[in-house]
Amino acid sequence: MAEGETGKEPAAAEAPTSAPAPIVETQTVRLVLRWLPFAMAGHLLIGLPTLIISLVVAYGTFVQARATQRMQQAAAWPFVAYDTSNYSDDGKHRINLTLTNNGVGPAMLGPVELQYQGKAMRTPYQLLEACCGYRPGQAMMLATTPASKVVLRPGEQIAFFDLRDMPDNAPLIRRMESERWKIRVRACYCSIFDDCWTIEGQQAKPQAVPQCPTNWQAYRER
């Protein structure tokens, strides 16, 4: 061992301590936080007009689609009316009860109910018994047509009750001349778009309904 050496190992060098975070990083974060609201506001100002334009276009498309749908419905709108007459177009004396489609689209007829003095008449024979003295088996001439579950074309008319002036019908015709005004008819019909209406009586304004009633006592031709 050399002279002057003590025999101890030299002390290890001390580990360097970590340097504090640069002040510049803290300043950068503060700067970002300060300007972040302004950046977000800028993005909002840029995106807001685009959002408004998109909403306006979407609303315009909806309005146009709705208008197109209404035009299609109007182009296929039926208008069914009930009427009674005592002479045909060719001048022949006969008592008619009719339904006519005065609209521009086909009418799908639903149930038809006929009442006399507040009581539903299920058949024309029951009506003639109640109003006009008809007896089962009595000779007469009566023409009938189905008034429900049929389609009426625009301008088409059906006479669902047609009592003709013939010798066998003379007593019934005389009674029906006055009693026909006591008959109340109501009907339901729908368009090809499944829009439905009901009418009651002559010159009736159609009333829109979700669907045709199911609780009417339907009138039948026989």
Side-chain angles (χ1 to χ4, degrees):
M1 180 178 298
E3 186 178 355
E5 292 182 358
T6 61
K8 295 181 180 181
E9 295 292 333
E14 294 183 2
T17 58
S18 57
I23 299 178
V24 67
E25 293 184 6
T26 303
Q27 293 177 343
T28 301
V29 171
R30 291 177 179 176
L31 184 63
V32 170
L33 293 177
R34 178 183 301 175
W35 289 99
L36 182 60
F38 297 99
M40 293 179 63
H43 283 292
L44 181 61
L45 291 175
I46 294 174
L48 186 59
T50 303
L51 176 61
I52 294 175
I53 292 173
S54 299
L55 292 175
V56 170
V57 171
Y59 178 74
T61 302
F62 169 79
V63 171
Q64 184 178 7
R66 182 61 177 165
T68 301
Q69 181 184 13
R70 289 183 176 179
M71 290 176 61
Q72 291 174 342
Q73 291 175 332
W77 182 58
F79 187 96
V80 174
Y82 161 72
D83 197 13
T84 177
S85 62
N86 57 354
Y87 278 91
S88 62
D89 293 338
D90 56 4
K92 293 182 180 179
H93 189 204
R94 59 207 303 173
I95 304 296
N96 280 339
L97 306 180
T98 61
L99 289 171
T100 306
N101 182 8
N102 296 318
V104 295
M108 296 177 286
L109 292 179
V112 174
E113 186 180 75
L114 186 151
Q115 293 187 3
Y116 174 72
Q117 294 184 341
K119 182 180 179 180
M121 302 285 107
R122 295 185 177 273
T123 67
Y125 305 100
Q126 185 180 3
L127 171 63
L128 289 172
E129 284 186 56
C131 76
C132 305
Y134 170 77
R135 296 293 178 265
Q138 176 181 337
M140 70 167 178
M141 177 66 71
L142 176 66
T144 61
T145 301
S148 60
K149 297 182 180 180
V150 296
V151 176
L152 278 182
R153 298 186 304 273
E156 185 178 9
Q157 179 184 89
I158 59 170
F160 59 91
F161 180 97
D162 184 6
L163 186 64
R164 303 177 184 182
D165 190 359
M166 303 179 66
D168 290 338
N169 292 346
L172 301 177
I173 284 279
R174 286 195 297 269
R175 294 294 302 274
M176 279 294 291
E177 281 286 4
S178 59
E179 296 304 303
R180 65 194 175 97
W181 301 110
K182 301 176 184 179
I183 297 172
R184 189 188 72 170
V185 173
R186 58 179 180 174
C188 181
Y189 62 96
C190 301
S191 72
I192 59 175
F193 292 100
D194 289 330
D195 297 317
C196 299
W197 300 266
T198 60
I199 56 169
E200 183 172 337
Q202 295 176 278
Q203 307 297 325
K205 179 181 178 180
Q207 301 295 321
V209 293
Q211 61 185 10
C212 285
T214 58
N215 59 346
W216 289 3
Q217 298 188 42
Y219 173 84
R220 305 185 305 270
E221 64 173 322
R222 63 183 65 180

